[in-house]
PDB file of all heavy atoms in Angstrom:
ATOM      1  N   ARG A  31    -156.514 -21.400  13.076  1.00 94.00           N
ATOM      2  CA  ARG A  31    -156.235 -20.091  12.467  1.00 94.00           C
ATOM      3  C   ARG A  31    -155.375 -20.224  11.217  1.00 94.00           C
ATOM      4  O   ARG A  31    -154.875 -19.238  10.696  1.00 94.00           O
ATOM      5  CB  ARG A  31    -155.563 -19.174  13.495  1.00 94.00           C
ATOM      6  CG  ARG A  31    -156.432 -19.052  14.753  1.00 94.00           C
ATOM      7  CD  ARG A  31    -156.522 -17.722  15.363  1.00 94.00           C
ATOM      8  NE  ARG A  31    -156.871 -16.630  14.513  1.00 94.00           N
ATOM      9  CZ  ARG A  31    -158.109 -16.283  14.162  1.00 94.00           C
ATOM     10  NH1 ARG A  31    -159.123 -16.987  14.568  1.00 94.00           N
ATOM     11  NH2 ARG A  31    -158.320 -15.239  13.415  1.00 94.00           N
ATOM     12  N   TRP A  92    -154.863  -1.501  10.765  1.00 90.00           N
ATOM     13  CA  TRP A  92    -155.860  -2.567  10.799  1.00 90.00           C
ATOM     14  C   TRP A  92    -155.200  -3.936  10.667  1.00 90.00           C
ATOM     15  O   TRP A  92    -155.600  -4.893  11.331  1.00 90.00           O
ATOM     16  CB  TRP A  92    -156.886  -2.389   9.684  1.00 90.00           C
ATOM     17  CG  TRP A  92    -157.916  -1.366   9.988  1.00 90.00           C
ATOM     18  CD1 TRP A  92    -157.914  -0.053   9.589  1.00 90.00           C
ATOM     19  CD2 TRP A  92    -159.096  -1.542  10.774  1.00 90.00           C
ATOM     20  NE1 TRP A  92    -159.026   0.583  10.077  1.00 90.00           N
ATOM     21  CE2 TRP A  92    -159.775  -0.314  10.799  1.00 90.00           C
ATOM     22  CE3 TRP A  92    -159.654  -2.624  11.449  1.00 90.00           C
ATOM     23  CZ2 TRP A  92    -160.969  -0.133  11.479  1.00 90.00           C
ATOM     24  CZ3 TRP A  92    -160.845  -2.451  12.118  1.00 90.00           C
ATOM     25  CH2 TRP A  92    -161.494  -1.211  12.131  1.00 90.00           C
ATOM     26  N   TRP A  96    -155.147  -6.973  13.457  1.00 91.00           N
ATOM     27  CA  TRP A  96    -155.578  -8.351  13.177  1.00 91.00           C
ATOM     28  C   TRP A  96    -154.671  -9.331  13.918  1.00 91.00           C
ATOM     29  O   TRP A  96    -155.135 -10.209  14.631  1.00 91.00           O
ATOM     30  CB  TRP A  96    -155.523  -8.589  11.671  1.00 91.00           C
ATOM     31  CG  TRP A  96    -155.880  -9.961  11.189  1.00 91.00           C
ATOM     32  CD1 TRP A  96    -155.210 -11.125  11.420  1.00 91.00           C
ATOM     33  CD2 TRP A  96    -157.000 -10.304  10.377  1.00 91.00           C
ATOM     34  NE1 TRP A  96    -155.826 -12.174  10.789  1.00 91.00           N
ATOM     35  CE2 TRP A  96    -156.925 -11.695  10.144  1.00 91.00           C
ATOM     36  CE3 TRP A  96    -158.045  -9.574   9.805  1.00 91.00           C
ATOM     37  CZ2 TRP A  96    -157.862 -12.372   9.361  1.00 91.00           C
ATOM     38  CZ3 TRP A  96    -158.970 -10.253   9.028  1.00 91.00           C
ATOM     39  CH2 TRP A  96    -158.879 -11.623   8.814  1.00 91.00           C
ATOM     40  N   LEU A  99    -154.944  -9.025  17.711  1.00 94.00           N
ATOM     41  CA  LEU A  99    -156.159  -9.648  18.209  1.00 94.00           C
ATOM     42  C   LEU A  99    -156.021 -11.168  18.229  1.00 94.00           C
ATOM     43  O   LEU A  99    -156.490 -11.824  19.165  1.00 94.00           O
ATOM     44  CB  LEU A  99    -157.372  -9.230  17.378  1.00 94.00           C
ATOM     45  CG  LEU A  99    -158.720  -9.774  17.853  1.00 94.00           C
ATOM     46  CD1 LEU A  99    -159.003  -9.400  19.308  1.00 94.00           C
ATOM     47  CD2 LEU A  99    -159.839  -9.280  16.940  1.00 94.00           C
ATOM     48  N   LEU A 103    -156.658 -13.196  21.615  1.00 96.00           N
ATOM     49  CA  LEU A 103    -157.597 -14.321  21.680  1.00 96.00           C
ATOM     50  C   LEU A 103    -156.894 -15.615  22.079  1.00 96.00           C
ATOM     51  O   LEU A 103    -157.469 -16.453  22.780  1.00 96.00           O
ATOM     52  CB  LEU A 103    -158.322 -14.487  20.340  1.00 96.00           C
ATOM     53  CG  LEU A 103    -159.278 -13.352  19.972  1.00 96.00           C
ATOM     54  CD1 LEU A 103    -159.856 -13.577  18.581  1.00 96.00           C
ATOM     55  CD2 LEU A 103    -160.380 -13.194  21.000  1.00 96.00           C
ATOM     56  N   HIS A 113    -162.474 -19.906  21.707  1.00 92.00           N
ATOM     57  CA  HIS A 113    -161.717 -19.448  20.539  1.00 92.00           C
ATOM     58  C   HIS A 113    -161.981 -17.981  20.190  1.00 92.00           C
ATOM     59  O   HIS A 113    -161.268 -17.401  19.380  1.00 92.00           O
ATOM     60  CB  HIS A 113    -162.039 -20.311  19.320  1.00 92.00           C
ATOM     61  CG  HIS A 113    -161.379 -21.648  19.356  1.00 92.00           C
ATOM     62  ND1 HIS A 113    -160.116 -21.860  18.882  1.00 92.00           N
ATOM     63  CD2 HIS A 113    -161.802 -22.844  19.829  1.00 92.00           C
ATOM     64  CE1 HIS A 113    -159.780 -23.123  19.046  1.00 92.00           C
ATOM     65  NE2 HIS A 113    -160.783 -23.744  19.629  1.00 92.00           N
ATOM     66  N   GLY A 114    -163.015 -17.376  20.753  1.00 93.00           N
ATOM     67  CA  GLY A 114    -163.309 -15.969  20.482  1.00 93.00           C
ATOM     68  C   GLY A 114    -163.831 -15.728  19.078  1.00 93.00           C
ATOM     69  O   GLY A 114    -163.602 -14.672  18.495  1.00 93.00           O
ATOM     70  N   ALA A 115    -164.546 -16.707  18.528  1.00 92.00           N
ATOM     71  CA  ALA A 115    -165.004 -16.628  17.132  1.00 92.00           C
ATOM     72  C   ALA A 115    -165.907 -15.423  16.879  1.00 92.00           C
ATOM     73  O   ALA A 115    -165.746 -14.733  15.873  1.00 92.00           O
ATOM     74  CB  ALA A 115    -165.715 -17.921  16.737  1.00 92.00           C
ATOM     75  N   GLU A 116    -166.843 -15.152  17.784  1.00 93.00           N
ATOM     76  CA  GLU A 116    -167.757 -14.022  17.578  1.00 93.00           C
ATOM     77  C   GLU A 116    -167.002 -12.701  17.591  1.00 93.00           C
ATOM     78  O   GLU A 116    -167.240 -11.835  16.758  1.00 93.00           O
ATOM     79  CB  GLU A 116    -168.843 -14.010  18.651  1.00 93.00           C
ATOM     80  CG  GLU A 116    -169.916 -15.039  18.434  1.00 93.00           C
ATOM     81  CD  GLU A 116    -170.999 -14.940  19.492  1.00 93.00           C
ATOM     82  OE1 GLU A 116    -171.253 -13.837  20.023  1.00 93.00           O
ATOM     83  OE2 GLU A 116    -171.589 -15.992  19.793  1.00 93.00           O
ATOM     84  N   ARG A 117    -166.124 -12.554  18.560  1.00 93.00           N
ATOM     85  CA  ARG A 117    -165.342 -11.316  18.668  1.00 93.00           C
ATOM     86  C   ARG A 117    -164.482 -11.117  17.424  1.00 93.00           C
ATOM     87  O   ARG A 117    -164.394 -10.020  16.881  1.00 93.00           O
ATOM     88  CB  ARG A 117    -164.469 -11.384  19.914  1.00 93.00           C
ATOM     89  CG  ARG A 117    -163.676 -10.138  20.160  1.00 93.00           C
ATOM     90  CD  ARG A 117    -162.954 -10.242  21.474  1.00 93.00           C
ATOM     91  NE  ARG A 117    -162.070  -9.121  21.684  1.00 93.00           N
ATOM     92  CZ  ARG A 117    -161.174  -9.074  22.632  1.00 93.00           C
ATOM     93  NH1 ARG A 117    -161.049 -10.070  23.491  1.00 93.00           N
ATOM     94  NH2 ARG A 117    -160.394  -8.032  22.749  1.00 93.00           N
ATOM     95  N   PHE A 118    -163.848 -12.190  16.965  1.00 93.00           N
ATOM     96  CA  PHE A 118    -162.993 -12.066  15.800  1.00 93.00           C
ATOM     97  C   PHE A 118    -163.816 -11.781  14.540  1.00 93.00           C
ATOM     98  O   PHE A 118    -163.391 -10.994  13.694  1.00 93.00           O
ATOM     99  CB  PHE A 118    -162.136 -13.326  15.595  1.00 93.00           C
ATOM    100  CG  PHE A 118    -161.026 -13.085  14.634  1.00 93.00           C
ATOM    101  CD1 PHE A 118    -159.876 -12.438  15.035  1.00 93.00           C
ATOM    102  CD2 PHE A 118    -161.143 -13.454  13.307  1.00 93.00           C
ATOM    103  CE1 PHE A 118    -158.853 -12.171  14.141  1.00 93.00           C
ATOM    104  CE2 PHE A 118    -160.131 -13.202  12.411  1.00 93.00           C
ATOM    105  CZ  PHE A 118    -158.974 -12.553  12.835  1.00 93.00           C
ATOM    106  N   GLU A 119    -164.972 -12.394  14.415  1.00 93.00           N
ATOM    107  CA  GLU A 119    -165.818 -12.162  13.233  1.00 93.00           C
ATOM    108  C   GLU A 119    -166.250 -10.699  13.160  1.00 93.00           C
ATOM    109  O   GLU A 119    -166.252 -10.094  12.090  1.00 93.00           O
ATOM    110  CB  GLU A 119    -167.029 -13.094  13.251  1.00 93.00           C
ATOM    111  CG  GLU A 119    -167.912 -12.954  12.032  1.00 93.00           C
ATOM    112  CD  GLU A 119    -167.229 -13.251  10.710  1.00 93.00           C
ATOM    113  OE1 GLU A 119    -166.177 -13.925  10.687  1.00 93.00           O
ATOM    114  OE2 GLU A 119    -167.741 -12.794   9.662  1.00 93.00           O
ATOM    115  N   GLY A 120    -166.613 -10.106  14.300  1.00 93.00           N
ATOM    116  CA  GLY A 120    -166.969  -8.682  14.313  1.00 93.00           C
ATOM    117  C   GLY A 120    -165.806  -7.819  13.849  1.00 93.00           C
ATOM    118  O   GLY A 120    -165.974  -6.886  13.055  1.00 93.00           O
ATOM    119  N   PHE A 121    -164.611  -8.129  14.336  1.00 92.00           N
ATOM    120  CA  PHE A 121    -163.428  -7.381  13.912  1.00 92.00           C
ATOM    121  C   PHE A 121    -163.141  -7.602  12.430  1.00 92.00           C
ATOM    122  O   PHE A 121    -162.812  -6.673  11.699  1.00 92.00           O
ATOM    123  CB  PHE A 121    -162.203  -7.794  14.736  1.00 92.00           C
ATOM    124  CG  PHE A 121    -160.934  -7.189  14.210  1.00 92.00           C
ATOM    125  CD1 PHE A 121    -160.616  -5.880  14.513  1.00 92.00           C
ATOM    126  CD2 PHE A 121    -160.098  -7.905  13.376  1.00 92.00           C
ATOM    127  CE1 PHE A 121    -159.460  -5.290  14.003  1.00 92.00           C
ATOM    128  CE2 PHE A 121    -158.949  -7.341  12.861  1.00 92.00           C
ATOM    129  CZ  PHE A 121    -158.628  -6.028  13.174  1.00 92.00           C
ATOM    130  N   ARG A 122    -163.286  -8.845  11.965  1.00 92.00           N
ATOM    131  CA  ARG A 122    -162.993  -9.177  10.568  1.00 92.00           C
ATOM    132  C   ARG A 122    -163.861  -8.356   9.615  1.00 92.00           C
ATOM    133  O   ARG A 122    -163.386  -7.873   8.587  1.00 92.00           O
ATOM    134  CB  ARG A 122    -163.196 -10.678  10.325  1.00 92.00           C
ATOM    135  CG  ARG A 122    -162.652 -11.146   8.983  1.00 92.00           C
ATOM    136  CD  ARG A 122    -163.039 -12.582   8.700  1.00 92.00           C
ATOM    137  NE  ARG A 122    -164.465 -12.751   8.517  1.00 92.00           N
ATOM    138  CZ  ARG A 122    -165.134 -12.399   7.426  1.00 92.00           C
ATOM    139  NH1 ARG A 122    -164.517 -11.826   6.416  1.00 92.00           N
ATOM    140  NH2 ARG A 122    -166.437 -12.587   7.340  1.00 92.00           N
ATOM    141  N   LEU A 123    -165.117  -8.158   9.973  1.00 92.00           N
ATOM    142  CA  LEU A 123    -166.010  -7.362   9.125  1.00 92.00           C
ATOM    143  C   LEU A 123    -165.561  -5.896   9.068  1.00 92.00           C
ATOM    144  O   LEU A 123    -165.570  -5.274   7.998  1.00 92.00           O
ATOM    145  CB  LEU A 123    -167.450  -7.469   9.619  1.00 92.00           C
ATOM    146  CG  LEU A 123    -168.077  -8.856   9.474  1.00 92.00           C
ATOM    147  CD1 LEU A 123    -169.440  -8.903  10.148  1.00 92.00           C
ATOM    148  CD2 LEU A 123    -168.171  -9.265   8.013  1.00 92.00           C
ATOM    149  N   LEU A 124    -165.166  -5.340  10.218  1.00 92.00           N
ATOM    150  CA  LEU A 124    -164.651  -3.956  10.234  1.00 92.00           C
ATOM    151  C   LEU A 124    -163.353  -3.856   9.435  1.00 92.00           C
ATOM    152  O   LEU A 124    -163.139  -2.886   8.691  1.00 92.00           O
ATOM    153  CB  LEU A 124    -164.410  -3.504  11.681  1.00 92.00           C
ATOM    154  CG  LEU A 124    -165.639  -3.336  12.551  1.00 92.00           C
ATOM    155  CD1 LEU A 124    -165.236  -3.078  13.997  1.00 92.00           C
ATOM    156  CD2 LEU A 124    -166.526  -2.216  12.027  1.00 92.00           C
ATOM    157  N   HIS A 125    -162.486  -4.850   9.585  1.00 91.00           N
ATOM    158  CA  HIS A 125    -161.216  -4.883   8.849  1.00 91.00           C
ATOM    159  C   HIS A 125    -161.476  -4.914   7.341  1.00 91.00           C
ATOM    160  O   HIS A 125    -160.811  -4.216   6.567  1.00 91.00           O
ATOM    161  CB  HIS A 125    -160.407  -6.106   9.285  1.00 91.00           C
ATOM    162  CG  HIS A 125    -159.089  -6.243   8.592  1.00 91.00           C
ATOM    163  ND1 HIS A 125    -158.966  -6.856   7.355  1.00 91.00           N
ATOM    164  CD2 HIS A 125    -157.851  -5.837   8.940  1.00 91.00           C
ATOM    165  CE1 HIS A 125    -157.697  -6.821   6.992  1.00 91.00           C
ATOM    166  NE2 HIS A 125    -157.005  -6.208   7.930  1.00 91.00           N
ATOM    167  N   ARG A 126    -162.444  -5.704   6.944  1.00 90.00           N
ATOM    168  CA  ARG A 126    -162.753  -5.823   5.506  1.00 90.00           C
ATOM    169  C   ARG A 126    -163.231  -4.487   4.929  1.00 90.00           C
ATOM    170  O   ARG A 126    -162.815  -4.096   3.838  1.00 90.00           O
ATOM    171  CB  ARG A 126    -163.821  -6.892   5.334  1.00 90.00           C
ATOM    172  CG  ARG A 126    -164.020  -7.313   3.920  1.00 90.00           C
ATOM    173  CD  ARG A 126    -164.694  -8.622   3.987  1.00 90.00           C
ATOM    174  NE  ARG A 126    -165.478  -8.948   2.850  1.00 90.00           N
ATOM    175  CZ  ARG A 126    -166.203 -10.030   2.792  1.00 90.00           C
ATOM    176  NH1 ARG A 126    -166.263 -10.829   3.821  1.00 90.00           N
ATOM    177  NH2 ARG A 126    -166.869 -10.319   1.725  1.00 90.00           N
ATOM    178  N   ARG A 127    -164.099  -3.797   5.670  1.00 91.00           N
ATOM    179  CA  ARG A 127    -164.559  -2.471   5.210  1.00 91.00           C
ATOM    180  C   ARG A 127    -163.379  -1.507   5.073  1.00 91.00           C
ATOM    181  O   ARG A 127    -163.279  -0.765   4.100  1.00 91.00           O
ATOM    182  CB  ARG A 127    -165.572  -1.895   6.188  1.00 91.00           C
ATOM    183  CG  ARG A 127    -166.958  -2.341   5.903  1.00 91.00           C
ATOM    184  CD  ARG A 127    -167.961  -1.548   6.720  1.00 91.00           C
ATOM    185  NE  ARG A 127    -168.811  -2.538   7.362  1.00 91.00           N
ATOM    186  CZ  ARG A 127    -169.222  -2.501   8.599  1.00 91.00           C
ATOM    187  NH1 ARG A 127    -168.891  -1.508   9.382  1.00 91.00           N
ATOM    188  NH2 ARG A 127    -169.983  -3.437   9.079  1.00 91.00           N
ATOM    189  N   ALA A 128    -162.503  -1.509   6.060  1.00 91.00           N
ATOM    190  CA  ALA A 128    -161.334  -0.623   6.018  1.00 91.00           C
ATOM    191  C   ALA A 128    -160.417  -1.002   4.855  1.00 91.00           C
ATOM    192  O   ALA A 128    -159.855  -0.121   4.192  1.00 91.00           O
ATOM    193  CB  ALA A 128    -160.573  -0.690   7.330  1.00 91.00           C
ATOM    194  N   VAL A 147    -163.538   2.166  17.827  1.00 81.00           N
ATOM    195  CA  VAL A 147    -163.414   0.721  17.612  1.00 81.00           C
ATOM    196  C   VAL A 147    -162.623   0.110  18.769  1.00 81.00           C
ATOM    197  O   VAL A 147    -161.488   0.474  19.021  1.00 81.00           O
ATOM    198  CB  VAL A 147    -162.728   0.404  16.261  1.00 81.00           C
ATOM    199  CG1 VAL A 147    -162.496  -1.086  16.125  1.00 81.00           C
ATOM    200  CG2 VAL A 147    -163.563   0.918  15.105  1.00 81.00           C
ATOM    201  N   ASP A 148    -163.277  -0.808  19.469  1.00 78.00           N
ATOM    202  CA  ASP A 148    -162.648  -1.460  20.618  1.00 78.00           C
ATOM    203  C   ASP A 148    -162.205  -2.868  20.222  1.00 78.00           C
ATOM    204  O   ASP A 148    -163.005  -3.670  19.789  1.00 78.00           O
ATOM    205  CB  ASP A 148    -163.632  -1.530  21.782  1.00 78.00           C
ATOM    206  CG  ASP A 148    -163.034  -2.161  23.014  1.00 78.00           C
ATOM    207  OD1 ASP A 148    -161.822  -2.014  23.211  1.00 78.00           O
ATOM    208  OD2 ASP A 148    -163.791  -2.796  23.768  1.00 78.00           O
ATOM    209  N   LEU A 149    -160.925  -3.120  20.367  1.00 73.00           N
ATOM    210  CA  LEU A 149    -160.414  -4.460  20.045  1.00 73.00           C
ATOM    211  C   LEU A 149    -160.497  -5.310  21.289  1.00 73.00           C
ATOM    212  O   LEU A 149    -160.379  -6.438  21.349  1.00 73.00           O
ATOM    213  CB  LEU A 149    -158.986  -4.381  19.526  1.00 73.00           C
ATOM    214  CG  LEU A 149    -158.783  -3.516  18.296  1.00 73.00           C
ATOM    215  CD1 LEU A 149    -157.312  -3.494  17.912  1.00 73.00           C
ATOM    216  CD2 LEU A 149    -159.621  -4.028  17.150  1.00 73.00           C
TER     217      LEU A 149
END
Side-chain angles (χ1 to χ4, degrees):
R31 304 220 51 83
W92 281 97
W96 178 294
L99 183 56
L103 293 176
H113 284 273
E116 284 183 30
R117 183 174 174 192
F118 194 79
E119 183 60 20
F121 172 80
R122 191 188 66 76
L123 293 173
L124 293 172
H125 180 275
R126 192 161 154 184
R127 273 191 231 138
V147 175
D148 181 31
L149 302 178

